[in-house]
Amino acid sequence: MTETIPPGTRFVALPSPFAFKRGGGLEGARMAYETWGELNAARDNAILILTGLSPNAHAASNAGNPEPGWWEGMLGPDKPIDTKRWFVICVNSLGSCKGSTGAASVNPATGEPYRLEFPDLSIEDGARAAHFVVASLGIERLACVIGNSMGGMTALAYLLLHPGSARNHINVSGSAQALPFSIAIRSLQREAIRLDPNWNQGRYSDAAYPENGMRIARKLGVVTYRSAMEWDGRFGRVKLDSEMRGDEDPFGQEFEVERYLEGHAQRFVRSFDPNCYLYLGRSMDWFDVAEYGGGDVMKGLATIKVERSLSIGVHTDILFPLQQQEQVAEGLKLGGAQVEFVPLPSPQGHDAFLVDIPRVRRGDRLVPRQVLSAEKQKPAQAGFWYR
């Protein structure tokens, strides 16, 4: 598939060559991003948002693109991340197919998509690319870096690789390393794609596309993004009407939950490049903060120096379990940060930060009223989650 780039996307050219952690590099690469709000004269009111695996840089509507974004409820004037006060940057991850250079992008050396000639991608590569975007905007130090899901890993890498680059940090359902369950799920997702004959060692086309592999991979992902509690409450054991089942396949869809998964998969398979999916998923499996602490995750986290950190997790998250957000909080506390750990009692699992917005943005003890409390005496720098 070709890259899909939302209207209003802006670009920054990365240095050539842009070297990768595990070897190799890119020539003529770029990063896609969008912004909201105004950068103040001191250039100290900037917030960077780092995304999960599949989102683009369009986190919310703006002048360049009035369509609602993937975090519309959280970002904008008078919203929890108040763009009347903050200059907000959201980057599309390096390795994606939503504007930043990835495996679906054209390799200038060959005139063809990179496919499997794309270098081995690490979370750290995405963090360095995001830092270059920030620096290109004339920002030396962020007020806050926010990472969601995979972006939570990228935010930690950003702080590890660029000490002093942000005053504050927010981790939303992210982690310092992948746990075996998450690695196992992503391994199965990659296997489903690679075993589809149309994958063809990454050399597929729109006419011969690994649709079945992508369908199964996406279904596996969706199952882990929500909780068993939500699946039960939402679908129960409701069966499809007889005319919706079809008689041609004796093992076809029978339950409403199966139809939901199929619909979700069908909407995704052609909207995200399979090779990009492989590269980004593997980058999460490889990431481990323990590399920065002599083999100890907590020592690695303690090397990060920020003034304040908020770590938000969800009780029902099975993909990035709650103990991982608590681990991030405790590790940064060892490094001297003023830390708050907030466990959300949402039934919606890992996707709660995307779909349970009323709970996430509520101004009670679920989310502190002052994230940047160390700067609360400065009106222009007041915290952005508040009543």
Side-chain angles (χ1 to χ4, degrees):
M1 62 164 282
T2 57
E3 297 172 286
T4 55
I5 305 170
T9 302
R10 300 160 68 183
F11 300 96
V12 168
L14 293 174
S16 289
F18 184 80
F20 275 43
K21 175 185 175 181
R22 290 176 172 261
L26 299 172
E27 298 281 350
R30 70 181 185 182
M31 287 290 286
Y33 72 100
E34 292 189 28
T35 66
W36 298 258
E38 298 288 338
L39 187 62
N40 64 17
R43 296 181 177 271
D44 63 358
N45 69 326
I47 292 171
L48 174 65
I49 296 176
L50 298 163
T51 78
L53 185 150
S54 60
N56 53 36
H58 189 60
S61 54
N62 55 24
N65 183 353
E67 290 298 313
W70 56 267
W71 226 18
E72 189 73 26
M74 293 294 293
L75 174 62
D78 298 317
K79 292 181 181 179
I81 304 174
D82 188 351
T83 54
K84 293 195 300 186
R85 180 172 294 168
W86 303 103
F87 176 66
V88 183
I89 310 154
C90 182
V91 298
N92 176 234
S93 301
L94 183 68
S96 180
C97 54
K98 306 291 186 179
S100 295
T101 299
S105 304
V106 173
N107 181 347
T110 65
E112 295 289 330
Y114 280 102
R115 299 188 177 97
L116 300 193
E117 292 180 359
F118 196 75
D120 288 340
L121 178 70
S122 297
I123 289 292
E124 287 88 343
D125 302 320
R128 287 180 50 245
H131 182 265
F132 188 83
V133 174
V134 172
S136 74
L137 297 174
I139 300 163
E140 294 184 2
R141 196 179 191 206
L142 294 164
C144 188
V145 57
I146 303 174
N148 298 315
S149 187
M150 183 186 82
M153 292 178 161
T154 310
L156 292 174
Y158 190 103
L159 295 168
L160 285 163
L161 297 174
H162 306 284
S165 58
R167 296 192 299 273
N168 303 284
H169 160 258
I170 297 176
N171 169 48
V172 186
S173 297
S175 70
Q177 60 181 191
L179 293 180
F181 176 77
S182 301
I183 294 172
I185 291 297
R186 287 191 288 267
S187 174
L188 290 173
Q189 290 176 305
R190 293 193 294 272
E191 187 172 355
I193 294 169
R194 292 185 296 108
L195 289 180
D196 188 317
N198 284 340
W199 182 64
N200 190 28
Q201 296 299 307
R203 302 192 66 83
Y204 44 83
S205 65
D206 285 342
Y209 186 84
E211 189 150 343
N212 285 330
M214 283 292 283
R215 283 175 51 251
I216 295 169
R218 185 59 174 177
K219 287 181 181 182
L220 280 167
V222 171
V223 167
T224 67
Y225 299 156
R226 303 299 179 93
S227 72
M229 181 190 305
E230 189 193 3
W231 292 118
D232 185 49
R234 187 171 181 179
F235 298 106
R237 289 182 50 82
V238 176
K239 292 190 175 184
L240 297 172
D241 295 336
S242 57
E243 62 270 16
M244 298 178 68
R245 295 182 200 174
D247 298 326
E248 66 280 358
D249 184 356
F251 293 99
Q253 296 177 27
E254 186 174 357
F255 291 89
E256 181 64 32
V257 67
E258 295 176 285
R259 186 167 74 102
Y260 170 82
L261 286 174
E262 181 62 27
H264 206 294
Q266 290 291 350
R267 290 190 296 272
F268 182 80
V269 292
R270 294 278 179 161
S271 69
F272 205 89
D273 179 74
N275 286 336
C276 291
Y277 203 72
L278 297 176
Y279 274 96
L280 286 165
R282 187 178 62 178
S283 74
M284 285 190 278
D285 294 347
W286 281 343
F287 182 65
D288 189 354
V289 171
E291 292 180 16
Y292 302 87
D296 187 301
V297 174
M298 297 302 282
K299 289 181 179 178
L301 288 168
T303 66
I304 295 173
K305 304 300 179 184
V306 291
E307 295 172 14
R308 187 170 174 85
S309 178
L310 169 66
S311 193
I312 302 173
V314 179
H315 283 286
T316 55
D317 190 342
I318 62 173
L319 190 63
F320 285 72
L322 188 65
Q323 67 264 26
Q324 293 198 288
Q325 292 83 57
E326 187 172 20
Q327 180 185 54
V328 170
E330 290 301 315
L332 295 186
K333 185 177 181 180
L334 290 175
Q338 185 179 352
V339 170
E340 180 122 24
F341 167 59
V342 181
L344 295 181
S346 172
Q348 293 178 300
H350 185 65
D351 266 359
F353 75 91
L354 293 172
V355 298
D356 199 356
I357 296 298
R359 195 184 304 269
V360 172
R361 65 180 290 173
R362 218 162 70 197
D364 59 12
R365 287 300 301 166
L366 293 179
V367 180
R369 287 177 286 175
Q370 297 290 341
V371 174
L372 309 183
S373 63
E375 302 180 17
K376 63 185 178 182
Q377 300 304 318
K378 306 175 186 178
Q381 300 294 337
F384 52 82
W385 258 317
Y386 55 86
R387 289 189 192 273

